[in-house]
Amino acid sequence: MATERTTTHELDDDPWSRFHRWGPIALLATGTLLSAGTASLLMSPGQRIPASLLVVVLTGWEILRLRGHTGSGAVYYVARTVSAFVLSLFNPFFAIYAVMGYFDAPWLVGERWARVGLVATAVTLAGSQAGGLPPRDPAIWIVFVLLFFLNAAIAMVAYRIGERDLRRTEERIDAIAELERANARLEQALSENQALHAQLLTHAREAGIDDERRRLAAEIHDTLAQSLAGIVTQLQAAGATPDPDAARRHVAEAADLARRSLGEARRSVHNLAPEVLEHDTLETVLAGSVDRWSAEHGIRVDFTVTGTVEPLHDDIAATLLRITQEALANVAKHASAHRVGVTVSYMDDEVSIDIRDDGRGFDLSAETVDGFGLRGMNSRIARIAGVLDVESEIGTGTAVSVRVPLVKAGSVS
């Protein structure tokens, strides 16, 4: 199974195969540049020579691999994982090279050993995130263990999601192939519609796969990525405080965030709405989410609800919740704001949410939008026929406004 995947993967000329081809050497180069820039701070003179020699050897090996001298995939994966671990002992930034292990373990070592490879990769990354291996004191050991379990859990959840998507894709391809065989038997009678029918089938297959990938990518970004940011903040606070009680509180909060993020990841696998929306209305959930965000980041938030509150359709409520969470995450990461206002407005035929901050703002005409930030919000809102507006100028803050049709709970979407 693993051999067949590798062969097909190498022959397909698509962005994903190019990532698997060029990703390792690109990550090695990134880790090397960052390590070189921090060598005077993190590495002794005696560590720089062996680290440099190992980087030269790995670079040559990766170049040979790009030229087709692949050898055994399992041997390559094990050697790369061990090398990344050894390099991370010299400088934590070399752990960037190990990240590739999360993506190609099933193709290189097979499904039987993939989980072992993911766990080994999690050790290297957790050590880097904890400040390097081996940990220097008991407190850092605790942080390392927590980070290891978090990295391993996220890797396993992502692996399960990937396996599920692969099975679904294979089932869809098999189903489409069966439909094409059936259509072939009707070709003589329906020859004038054959080209149109094939085009519709291809479009349906590609649209279904692309929509599923976008949904999963957005769900992972909105749940796991934001939760990880909160966990890192709590763990950094735990490591920085001399008060043992305060450190324990920060670690407990980080563990609680990890549990919630794992629960959300499992629900994403089953394409469910956020669990909190099953028991409370949107404005209640938003109020709690805003309060937690305000307490976590130390930023004042004024939450307001106007109009006659209506129970919303699950898709509408879940989308508005995710977009609000993403907008607040962007404020925390980029705005340097002191105050934020969140307003939910119910009108006759639509509901809107406005998120405004008094931060530093940005130039919309010059801003490069990347990742799943504004692009992810636009994608989400487009699925429910909504409108997203962003207003910002340097020094005057940012306003994000979302308007969607008011579709009540129980209505047919």
Side-chain angles (χ1 to χ4, degrees):
M1 182 69 175
T3 302
E4 294 175 356
R5 285 187 184 181
T6 302
T7 302
T8 304
H9 190 70
E10 292 174 350
L11 292 176
D12 289 339
D13 185 18
D14 58 25
W16 192 240
S17 65
R18 289 195 294 271
F19 171 74
H20 276 265
R21 178 177 174 84
W22 293 98
I25 196 167
L27 291 173
L28 176 60
T30 302
T32 301
L33 289 174
L34 292 175
S35 298
T38 58
S40 60
L41 299 175
L42 302 176
M43 300 173 69
S44 66
Q47 291 176 321
R48 298 173 192 174
I49 294 176
S52 300
L53 291 175
L54 184 53
V55 168
V56 170
V57 172
L58 290 172
T59 302
W61 194 12
E62 292 291 356
I63 292 174
L64 288 175
R65 188 183 65 85
L66 289 175
R67 293 181 176 179
H69 303 287
T70 56
S72 170
V75 171
Y76 167 69
Y77 184 91
V78 171
R80 189 185 68 197
T81 302
V82 172
S83 299
F85 175 79
V86 172
L87 284 172
S88 70
L89 297 178
F90 297 127
N91 190 312
F93 282 107
F94 276 120
I96 294 173
Y97 184 44
V99 172
M100 197 66 199
Y102 280 155
F103 296 94
D104 57 12
W107 285 271
L108 294 178
V109 298
E111 295 178 359
R112 180 179 179 183
W113 294 101
R115 290 177 176 83
V116 176
L118 295 176
V119 170
T121 302
V123 171
T124 302
L125 291 176
S128 172
Q129 293 161 1
L133 291 173
R136 297 181 298 277
D137 55 60
I140 301 300
W141 267 108
I142 294 174
V143 173
F144 165 73
V145 171
L146 289 172
L147 286 170
F148 165 72
F149 282 108
L150 179 62
N151 277 277
I154 293 173
M156 294 303 175
V157 171
Y159 177 74
R160 291 288 300 275
I161 292 174
E163 286 294 294
R164 188 205 65 168
D165 283 352
L166 179 61
R167 287 194 296 269
R168 284 190 174 183
T169 300
E170 291 172 345
E171 291 171 359
R172 287 171 179 162
I173 292 175
D174 290 340
I176 291 170
E178 180 61 30
L179 286 173
E180 290 174 345
R181 287 192 292 270
N183 290 332
R185 292 192 291 267
L186 298 175
E187 182 178 1
Q188 185 174 2
L190 302 173
S191 57
E192 67 279 8
N193 294 325
Q194 184 178 16
L196 176 61
H197 187 68
Q199 183 179 3
L200 289 174
L201 283 175
T202 301
H203 177 74
R205 178 177 61 187
E206 293 176 351
I209 294 173
D210 288 344
D211 185 68
E212 185 70 6
R213 287 174 176 169
R214 285 193 298 270
R215 185 189 69 79
L216 284 171
E219 285 294 327
I220 290 172
H221 175 261
D222 291 344
T223 56
L224 294 180
Q226 294 181 22
S227 295
L228 277 173
I231 291 168
V232 169
T233 299
Q234 294 296 329
L235 291 176
Q236 288 175 339
T241 179
D243 184 356
D245 292 335
R248 282 192 291 272
R249 286 195 299 272
H250 287 301
V251 171
E253 179 63 24
D256 184 60
L257 283 171
R259 284 191 293 270
R260 289 204 302 267
S261 65
L262 286 175
E264 288 293 341
R266 294 189 182 101
R267 295 179 67 80
S268 296
V269 173
H270 299 289
N271 196 19
L272 299 177
E275 183 178 5
V276 290
L277 290 174
E278 294 182 355
H279 311 291
D280 291 307
T281 58
L282 172 64
E283 58 276 3
T284 302
V285 174
L286 276 175
S289 180
V290 164
D291 286 342
R292 286 192 298 272
W293 183 89
S294 177
E296 178 182 345
H297 297 284
I299 300 174
R300 175 181 170 182
V301 180
D302 297 321
F303 181 73
T304 307
V305 179
T306 65
T308 303
V309 175
E310 299 282 359
L312 299 176
H313 188 278
D314 289 346
D315 289 344
I316 301 292
T319 299
L320 291 177
L321 173 61
R322 293 299 191 218
I323 289 177
T324 303
Q325 291 173 333
E326 175 61 22
L328 290 175
N330 287 339
V331 172
K333 285 188 287 187
H334 306 298
S336 299
H338 299 91
R339 186 172 178 179
V340 178
V342 178
T343 303
V344 183
S345 302
Y346 288 86
M347 290 162 276
D348 291 339
D349 57 354
E350 69 178 18
V351 59
S352 68
I353 295 183
D354 297 286
I355 304 99
R356 299 177 181 271
D357 67 73
D358 62 354
R360 61 189 179 188
F362 61 91
D363 185 356
L364 283 170
S365 63
E367 186 72 7
T368 300
V369 179
D370 198 6
F372 290 99
L374 293 176
R375 186 175 65 187
M377 287 192 279
N378 273 305
S379 177
R380 282 182 175 277
I381 204 66
R383 294 192 190 117
I384 57 173
V387 177
L388 174 71
D389 292 319
V390 180
E391 298 179 2
S392 184
E393 292 183 4
I394 295 177
T396 63
T398 300
V400 176
S401 178
V402 180
R403 303 194 316 276
V404 299
L406 198 159
V407 183
K408 297 181 181 180
S411 301
V412 178
S413 59

